[in-house]
Amino acid sequence: MTTQATDAAHAAARRRRVWRRRLEPVLYIAPAFLVLAAIIAFPVFSAIGTSFLDASLLRPGQDSFTGIDNYVELIADPTFRSAFGRTFVWAGAALVVQVGLALAIATTLNKKLFARGAVRTTLIIPWVVPTVLVALIWRFLLDPVSGPINDLLQPVLANPPIWLADTRWALPILVLISAWKWTPFSAVIILAGLQQIPRELYEAAMMDGANAFRRFTNVTVPAIRTSLALVTLTTISGAINNFNGIWMFTRGGPNGATEILTTYAYRTAFVQFDFGKASAISVMIFLMMLVLAVLYFYAVEGRTPKKRGRA
């Protein structure tokens, strides 16, 4: 009996140590997690609650519950449907341009080049420039009267377009400006992934007779899958959440040609003072971000083979 009691006591002590080891990291991060949860959760739940109300600054204290009416009105609103579709066009164009350029730049910088360090330092400059300064610089460059871009195009085009006031050119120009600012960030992430690829993999592929394209598709791309997934997520989420990059250039114009969900939500809240409908738009943006996050974790973690324990 004494031996059994001792064994039971040792087993209970082991279980306590195991639980202590498991709970200790949780206790360390619990304060930060609670603060972060409060900061994030309150605005989210507040927006969700307001999206079911008829809330307006023009009628303070007279909010009334309307159910899903705000969502129904938005779906029936052609302006919202246009902004919704344009958001996907904007995000898709940003993804193709930025990731494509970032992959090309990172692949080039991963090779042995003259003054590679100076080139990498120069590359990162657009990313660290504040968005307000980016807007000032590019509005000057694209100015139809005094801008140097139209001056350079004058010999080729008799009447260069007014870039940011032309419904055909405004959105493509903003995509290129966004790529100019954010491509360096994506390139740095991809470059970090490229530098982790063992040289032996390329040598083995060359011994198997793989050409440059085969080495890129069979060695490079699978090895940087996590980096590409991260870049894809940050590019799409950044484009969907982009407000300053459009508002400081065109305010959603001309004639709604650059209106996306974020600018439409701002206009609905602070021009029309309809906080209920603006909150509904914000909830839709939040759901889109949530779907992207789930897809990212599936792409990065969901396909990672799990180690099986021995039988």
Side-chain angles (χ1 to χ4, degrees):
M1 293 294 293
T2 305
T3 304
Q4 292 178 352
T6 304
D7 292 342
H10 286 317
R14 270 197 306 272
R15 285 195 296 269
R16 285 195 297 269
R17 285 196 298 270
V18 170
W19 278 106
R20 190 180 299 115
R21 284 197 299 268
R22 291 179 178 177
L23 291 176
E24 191 173 359
V26 177
L27 294 176
Y28 284 135
I29 67 172
F33 178 80
L34 291 175
V35 172
L36 186 61
I39 293 173
I40 296 176
F42 177 76
V44 170
F45 286 108
S46 177
I48 293 174
T50 307
S51 69
F52 295 109
L53 301 177
D54 179 12
S56 174
L57 282 180
L58 301 177
R59 301 186 307 276
Q62 300 180 22
D63 301 346
S64 59
F65 180 77
T66 59
I68 62 171
D69 287 356
N70 288 323
Y71 295 94
V72 174
E73 290 180 15
L74 283 175
I75 294 174
D77 184 1
T79 304
F80 170 78
R81 292 200 301 267
S82 298
F84 188 84
R86 195 173 296 109
T87 300
F88 280 94
V89 173
W90 161 259
L95 177 65
V96 172
V97 175
Q98 291 183 34
V99 176
L101 286 175
L103 188 58
I105 293 172
T107 303
T108 303
L109 292 179
N110 195 42
K111 300 176 182 179
K112 294 182 179 180
L113 300 173
F114 175 74
R116 184 170 59 176
V119 173
R120 290 178 180 178
T121 304
T122 305
L123 172 70
I124 209 70
I125 291 177
W127 178 47
V128 300
V129 175
T131 306
V132 175
L133 188 56
V134 172
L136 292 174
I137 293 172
W138 281 98
R139 286 182 71 89
F140 165 72
L141 294 175
L142 296 170
D143 189 277
V145 177
S146 59
I149 291 180
N150 275 11
D151 288 343
L152 293 173
L153 293 176
Q154 197 69 41
V156 181
L157 298 175
N159 296 307
I162 305 176
W163 302 103
L164 297 176
D166 193 320
T167 55
R168 298 169 301 174
W169 287 103
L171 190 62
I173 287 297
L174 290 182
V175 170
L176 294 178
I177 294 174
S178 178
W180 177 82
K181 176 170 175 55
W182 295 108
T183 295
F185 173 75
S186 301
V188 168
I189 294 177
I190 295 176
L191 180 60
L194 290 173
Q195 292 178 338
Q196 301 302 316
I197 303 176
R199 195 68 198 168
E200 292 79 6
L201 293 179
Y202 290 106
E203 293 174 355
M206 293 175 66
M207 291 179 63
D208 289 339
N211 55 24
F213 179 76
R214 286 289 186 180
R215 293 195 299 271
F216 178 77
T217 56
N218 295 337
V219 177
T220 304
V221 173
I224 61 172
R225 180 171 62 89
T226 302
S227 298
L228 290 176
L230 178 59
V231 167
T232 299
L233 175 69
T234 54
T235 301
I236 296 178
S237 61
I240 293 176
N241 280 316
N242 194 319
F243 172 76
N244 294 336
I246 290 182
W247 191 260
M248 287 187 295
F249 281 99
T250 62
R251 296 178 181 266
N255 196 26
T258 59
E259 189 87 276
I260 63 173
L261 288 179
T262 51
T263 58
Y264 186 59
Y266 179 87
R267 195 185 307 280
T268 302
F270 299 107
V271 177
Q272 302 173 9
F273 300 110
D274 191 341
F275 273 31
K277 191 177 292 185
S279 296
I281 300 172
S282 300
V283 170
M284 291 184 178
I285 297 174
F286 171 75
L287 292 176
M288 293 166 64
M289 295 295 100
L290 186 62
V291 170
L292 284 175
V294 171
L295 291 176
Y296 167 74
F297 283 111
Y298 171 75
V300 175
E301 302 291 343
R303 297 182 181 180
T304 302
K306 298 180 180 180
K307 296 181 179 179
R308 296 183 178 179
R310 293 182 179 178

